[in-house]
Amino acid sequence: MKVPLSWLEDYVDIPIPTTELAERLTLAGLEVETIEYTGLPGAELEWDPGKIVVGEIRAVHPHPNADRLVLAEVEYGGTEPEAVVSGPPSLLPLRGRSDLHLKVAFAMEGAALWDPYAEVHRVKKLKRSRIRGVLSRAMVCSEKELGLSDEHEDIIYLPDDAPVGLPLVEYLGDAVLELDIKGPFGHLQSVFGIAREVSALLKAPLRRDVLEVLKHHPAGLAPTPDFIVLEIPDPDLCPRYSAAFIQGVRVGTSPFWMQMRLRRAGMRPINNIVDITNYVMLELGQPLHAFDYHILRSKPGEDRPAIIVRRARAGEQMATLDGVMRTFDNEMLLITNGQGPVAVAGVMGGLESEVTEATTDVLLESANFYFLNVRRTSRLLGLTSDASQRFGRRVDPELTVKAAARAAHLMAELAGGTVVPVIGDLYPGRQPQRVIEFDPAYAARILGVEVPTDEMVRILTSLEFQVSRSHVAGSQTEALRPATPATLNVTVPSHRLDVTRPVDLVEEVGRVWGYDRFPVTLMRDELPPQRANPRLEGAERVRDLLIGCGLDEVITYSLINIEDEGKLRPEGPPPDPAGYLHVRNPLSSERATLRQTPLPGLLHTARKNLRFLDRIAIFEISAVYLPVEGQTLPDEPLRLGMVKTGPREDRSWLAGQDRELLGFYDLKGIVETLLSGLGLEGTFEPTQHPSFHPGRCAQVSIGDNVLGVMGELHPLVREAFGLPAQPVCALEFDLDKLLVGWGAARTMEPISVHPPVYEDIALVVDETVTAEQMERAIRSAGGRLLREVRLFDVYRGAPVAAGKKSMAYALTFQSDTKTLKDTEVAKQRQRIVRRLERELGAVLRG
């Protein structure tokens, strides 16, 4: 929310610098994210008070050498007027006139302005120059040149009461606080609401005139006024509906001051009627809506238009102000007239009844709606508005009539209308007044500091709580203990819907008193012993290793469509819904079931990103949800999922790129790197799995713990997820089993200073013998002298017999105590050959 400082000062004086105010607000829980300056010191473009002033065009003369330029005679507070060459379209029809009084922004030689024709923001110094033969040393400015907006087709015109010669920074300079207010605090979604907080923080009086319009313009309240029939069939969703009637308005542009405030608050001016509703919403926090009165329809047999606030009928439709036809369900709340909907309650008005240039009479809506229903409607329709954001944070129902009166009389003032002195008002949801018994000693115990009771009373009173020291008989109270003479009875104002308990009042006292004033103390107790969290630390280590391998971590939805898990078993039976956990009220069928594998989410992510990239390498560490019979909550083991597809290397300008597609062994290399980084040794064994391509799938184990499977996806699975016709490698591991052996003590071996001896050995074995079996037997037979075993060749074909294969290994022998002799290495080699012959039927290849 953006709050212009000049607007804030309408309600409270601010004697401290803007930066200090921002700090005080932030410490009080109203986080100021940025301060945007206009013209003031600190702004991107600072207006020099001696060179940029308010000017007045007194006369416009033709340019002697150009048809599209004029000579404007400007009074700016100097000894005599200045003639400047200018060419705004609005001045061309005024050539030859010398009776003008047009207030403008006037810049003199040497002033720094934005260059309106530069492609990027660039400041230029105004210099005197000859334009078509006429010397000009000053200019009248557009909004873009001053940094007010991107408009530079015409110059900016100031109100008639702008003082000539006044530095423009004093007239238009401003600072805008951008606040990030989290939580259901509707009372802070307005300039006046922020002013109330500033008043309490700075101990400055709060000017409440904008809430007291009815004191100066009395109006009666009637549930059935002469100009409208009001009905609320669903009071649970609409606690209050108020309507004012303004006749004889003239729709046009808003005054300059209102347009500037709206723009600085982040809203676009439209016309005076709509701008007033937006202005009062920003000012007081109460959303308003203006209907063209003569578009509203009456009920059969009635002579007045009707406003009926009811639930929509399933399938009912209406075009909203953004021109989109919306379809409603029977839990959405609509504003209807006698013949159909005219607005979505709390969200947006209807296109048919909007205010246009032809509008003469306005029905002004000021209502209160149930905040959860507004949130739901806004989300389901995909329609967010300033009104829905405020209603979704809970708006004070006592504000409707006050805001309606404020806006109605602004329309009378700025649009020439006449306000009917009766406000229609239905209030079926009136809430009882809340009174809380509050013990100052309780506040001291919670805060840990002694705040004087008188200061507590001041803080609460300045926030518009009513405080008394006598017990209110018969009131609805909350107290931790029976009332004592020191107990305060605090009446909660209607706008503080978030305050219901004594501890809420403690928070108000603490934040306004100032958390920065709390003394810094050490904890009295010793810190508990710090214990490691192997599961968390192990997961972080896995993330680091995989990111180091060039993969990107993603986070996918825990809620899935159960059919997606069925796609992983294309030739098997569909998943049994009884074996899954389901959401009772899912937002859609795509998010109705808790997942039991991370692969569907990863495959959907890969498919979406392949629209923009040709290479995907992603992983996810996430929980899956496995129901347990007789147990309310499911087991939530962690799973590691991974998907890779596309070229082996990213495209680049370097020559010799490996653009072959990723395959099984690329994925295997990542798994080996992961296991090595964790200090683990794994085994890979061929296996069959319905999700993976036959013959391109392996089961990975660490000792007796099976981690999971990895391989290339089955073509049917790949097609089911809409992936391209190329190898897609994936894996799913049980992360808890992967981390079982991680973090255990590891024995480090000394580095030998003696030279190694290298031997190669090739053996012929049956096709059924795996490399894992061979390596295990070689290491077992090689003893302590065998340091490394590496398979470097597998050969099939003549002269090796059919059904056989040749496997060649590079062996490294080394001793820690001596240099090995050839005879010692030969002896170890023979032991290895004999073991392989005996256990695996291997034959030394000649």
Side-chain angles (χ1 to χ4, degrees):
M1 184 178 69
K2 295 184 176 182
V3 178
L5 199 65
S6 60
W7 197 349
L8 195 63
E9 289 177 324
D10 282 359
Y11 317 114
V12 61
D13 293 329
I14 303 174
I16 60 176
T18 305
T19 52
E20 185 178 340
L21 173 65
E23 183 179 2
R24 294 287 299 276
L25 286 170
T26 300
L27 288 172
L30 288 75
E31 181 182 356
V32 178
E33 287 193 318
T34 59
I35 305 175
E36 181 182 336
Y37 296 96
T38 300
L40 298 170
E44 199 172 1
L45 176 68
E46 184 177 342
W47 298 340
D48 187 333
K51 299 185 184 303
I52 305 177
V53 299
V54 175
E56 182 177 51
I57 297 177
R58 296 288 182 84
V60 177
H61 308 291
H63 191 289
N65 303 316
D67 294 335
R68 301 185 65 82
L69 296 175
V70 297
L71 298 179
E73 187 177 307
V74 182
E75 175 65 51
Y76 63 98
T79 55
E80 58 184 25
E82 182 77 20
V84 299
V85 178
S86 187
S90 57
L91 290 184
L92 296 180
L94 303 178
R95 282 176 289 197
R97 292 191 53 181
S98 56
D99 58 343
L100 302 174
H101 298 278
L102 303 175
K103 300 295 178 65
V104 294
F106 182 71
M108 291 172 275
E109 183 179 3
L113 302 170
W114 286 121
D115 185 347
Y117 303 105
E119 294 184 359
V120 296
H121 272 324
R122 185 179 67 188
V123 175
K124 67 173 184 179
K125 288 278 189 179
L126 181 59
K127 300 177 181 179
R128 67 173 67 194
S129 61
R130 288 191 176 274
I131 304 175
R132 293 292 184 91
V134 178
L135 181 65
S136 182
R137 60 176 188 172
M139 66 182 296
V140 285
C141 303
S142 68
E143 292 186 9
K144 186 170 185 179
E145 286 159 332
L146 295 170
L148 295 174
S149 74
D150 289 331
E151 177 61 44
H152 72 280
E153 297 300 323
D154 209 336
I155 60 176
I156 181 173
Y157 290 99
L158 304 178
D160 294 340
D161 59 358
V164 174
L166 181 72
L168 192 67
V169 68
E170 295 182 21
Y171 188 73
L172 281 186
D174 206 350
V176 178
L177 306 179
E178 184 168 0
L179 295 96
D180 180 17
I181 299 172
K182 300 177 176 67
F185 304 119
H187 67 286
L188 297 178
Q189 297 295 319
S190 64
V191 179
F192 185 81
I194 302 301
R196 184 190 292 119
E197 297 289 317
V198 173
S199 170
L201 290 169
L202 303 184
K203 302 180 181 180
L206 180 67
R207 293 184 280 272
R208 297 174 47 86
D209 295 349
V210 292
L211 288 177
E212 298 172 350
V213 175
L214 292 177
K215 287 185 178 180
H216 308 289
H217 303 280
L221 300 182
T224 56
D226 293 339
F227 54 85
I228 196 76
V229 173
L230 296 180
E231 295 181 11
I232 306 178
D234 294 296
D236 57 321
L237 301 184
C238 179
R240 189 175 193 181
Y241 193 97
S242 305
F245 187 35
I246 307 94
Q247 296 175 301
V249 300
R250 294 184 299 276
V251 178
T253 57
S254 301
F256 178 80
W257 62 268
M258 179 173 285
Q259 292 189 41
M260 293 305 300
R261 286 189 170 180
L262 289 174
R263 286 177 178 171
R264 288 175 182 172
M267 301 198 77
R268 178 176 60 89
I270 298 173
N271 60 52
N272 52 1
I273 301 301
V274 175
D275 290 351
I276 287 169
T277 62
N278 288 333
Y279 182 85
V280 174
M281 176 185 68
L282 294 172
E283 181 180 54
L284 300 180
Q286 171 65 53
L288 305 170
H289 185 69
F291 295 104
D292 187 326
Y293 180 77
H294 296 290
I295 300 297
L296 300 176
R297 303 288 181 259
S298 61
K299 296 172 63 177
E302 294 280 355
D303 58 353
R304 295 169 293 170
I307 289 291
I308 305 164
V309 187
R310 60 167 172 81
R311 282 179 165 87
R313 303 181 183 95
E316 197 168 5
Q317 294 184 318
M318 183 192 71
T320 47
L321 284 172
D322 56 0
V324 178
M325 183 64 69
R326 309 283 179 178
T327 303
F328 311 111
D329 64 29
N330 55 12
E331 286 300 318
M332 296 178 180
L333 192 67
L334 296 180
I335 309 299
T336 69
N337 60 21
Q339 299 182 13
V342 292
V344 185
V347 180
M348 186 174 285
L351 187 63
E352 180 185 0
S353 59
E354 71 172 330
V355 170
T356 66
E357 293 181 357
T359 300
T360 57
D361 296 339
V362 170
L363 182 76
L364 181 64
E365 169 191 288
S366 180
N368 189 270
F369 305 109
Y370 182 50
F371 71 106
L372 290 180
N373 184 264
V374 173
R375 286 189 199 175
R376 176 185 181 274
T377 301
S378 175
R379 185 184 70 248
L380 292 182
L381 293 179
L383 185 60
T384 302
S385 63
D386 290 283
S388 68
Q389 290 179 348
R390 284 168 171 78
F391 278 125
R393 288 172 168 82
R394 306 179 72 180
V395 176
D396 177 12
E398 295 292 328
L399 196 57
T400 61
V401 170
K402 299 173 184 177
R406 167 67 169 160
H409 286 281
L410 277 175
M411 290 180 187
E413 177 184 347
L414 304 179
T418 301
V419 181
V420 174
V422 174
I423 296 177
D425 184 46
L426 286 182
Y427 198 174
R430 188 185 301 274
Q431 296 296 314
Q433 198 171 52
R434 283 166 290 146
V435 179
I436 300 174
E437 291 183 3
F438 179 59
D439 187 350
Y442 172 66
R445 183 168 68 83
I446 295 296
L447 295 175
V449 295
E450 292 285 346
V451 180
T453 301
D454 289 344
E455 179 63 10
M456 292 187 190
V457 172
R458 185 204 70 78
I459 290 172
L460 294 174
T461 302
S462 63
L463 292 174
E464 302 192 326
F465 292 84
Q466 296 178 16
V467 184
S468 65
R469 297 178 185 270
S470 59
H471 184 69
V472 181
S475 65
Q476 295 185 355
T477 63
E478 288 188 30
L480 294 178
R481 56 181 68 91
T484 66
T487 298
L488 303 175
N489 293 309
V490 180
T491 302
V492 181
S494 60
H495 64 268
R496 292 308 302 268
L497 299 169
D498 58 307
V499 176
T500 58
R501 303 167 297 167
V503 72
D504 298 328
L505 298 175
V506 174
E507 182 180 8
E508 296 301 301
V509 169
R511 68 183 184 84
V512 176
W513 169 260
Y515 293 130
D516 55 320
R517 298 173 64 182
F518 284 34
V520 177
T521 58
L522 297 176
M523 293 178 61
R524 293 181 181 178
D525 295 334
E526 294 183 3
L527 288 175
Q530 303 300 300
R531 295 182 175 87
N533 187 338
R535 194 175 193 230
L536 176 61
E537 294 169 4
E540 289 301 312
R541 177 60 178 161
V542 169
R543 286 187 174 95
D544 291 343
L545 290 168
L546 293 179
I547 290 171
C549 290
L551 279 78
D552 296 311
E553 184 177 12
V554 299
I555 300 174
T556 63
Y557 288 105
S558 299
L559 295 172
I560 62 165
N561 186 340
I562 193 172
E563 294 179 1
D564 283 342
E565 295 208 0
K567 294 176 183 177
L568 295 174
R569 299 188 291 272
E571 297 179 342
D576 182 6
Y580 287 78
L581 291 172
H582 304 280
V583 180
R584 289 184 177 178
N585 55 341
L587 294 178
S588 71
S589 61
E590 301 300 315
R591 301 283 178 261
T593 306
L594 284 167
R595 66 183 171 196
Q596 295 189 4
T597 169
L599 285 183
L602 286 167
L603 294 175
H604 281 304
T605 300
R607 174 180 55 80
K608 292 175 183 177
N609 283 275
L610 281 170
R611 294 182 297 168
F612 314 105
L613 306 170
D614 60 354
R615 183 177 183 273
I616 299 295
I618 57 177
F619 76 94
E620 179 178 17
I621 295 175
S622 56
V624 297
Y625 305 88
L626 308 177
V628 179
E629 187 175 354
Q631 184 173 302
T632 302
L633 297 176
D635 281 347
E636 299 183 24
L638 287 178
R639 295 285 191 263
L640 168 63
M642 192 184 306
V643 170
K644 292 194 73 174
T645 187
R648 184 165 286 122
E649 293 184 3
D650 284 332
R651 189 183 301 277
S652 101
W653 60 271
L654 294 171
Q657 297 178 69
D658 188 353
R659 298 293 291 174
E660 291 187 9
L661 295 176
L662 293 164
F664 173 86
Y665 289 101
D666 297 284
L667 185 62
K668 183 173 182 286
I670 290 177
V671 174
E672 289 173 337
T673 302
L674 173 62
L675 296 177
S676 175
L678 295 173
L680 306 173
E681 293 185 6
T683 59
F684 299 80
E685 299 178 3
T687 189
Q688 298 291 326
H689 192 282
S691 299
F692 293 94
H693 198 297
R696 303 177 192 174
C697 176
Q699 176 179 284
V700 185
S701 305
I702 299 176
D704 296 331
N705 286 327
V706 177
L707 301 183
V709 292
M710 54 165 284
E712 183 182 322
L713 282 185
H714 195 289
L716 295 179
V717 175
R718 187 189 67 218
E719 293 172 5
F721 282 93
L723 294 165
Q726 63 188 37
V728 178
C729 300
L731 67 78
E732 181 182 351
F733 286 173
D734 187 322
L735 191 69
D736 294 314
K737 290 183 178 179
L738 175 64
L739 298 177
V740 165
W742 177 76
R746 299 170 62 184
T747 302
M748 307 301 292
E749 296 182 359
I751 299 174
S752 176
V753 299
H754 300 281
V757 178
Y758 303 102
E759 289 277 340
D760 291 347
I761 185 173
L763 302 109
V764 177
V765 296
D766 291 339
E767 280 284 2
T768 57
V769 176
T770 65
E772 176 66 26
Q773 291 174 306
M774 290 285 288
E775 183 174 338
R776 189 186 301 118
I778 291 172
R779 288 190 179 277
S780 177
R784 291 185 300 132
L785 296 180
L786 181 62
R787 296 299 173 89
E788 185 178 353
V789 179
R790 182 170 59 85
L791 176 65
F792 68 86
D793 182 62
V794 178
Y795 174 75
R796 297 176 178 86
V800 177
K804 301 284 187 178
K805 60 185 176 184
S806 170
M807 304 180 72
Y809 287 86
L811 310 178
T812 302
F813 297 91
Q814 192 175 30
S815 170
D816 294 331
T817 59
K818 63 181 179 177
T819 300
L820 293 176
K821 298 178 181 179
D822 291 343
T823 55
E824 292 175 304
V825 174
K827 182 179 178 181
Q828 292 299 111
R829 188 175 187 277
Q830 287 300 320
R831 288 181 60 187
I832 291 171
V833 172
R834 287 195 298 270
R835 174 71 68 86
L836 294 174
E837 289 176 346
R838 183 172 65 253
E839 293 186 0
L840 301 175
V843 177
L844 190 65
R845 183 178 175 188

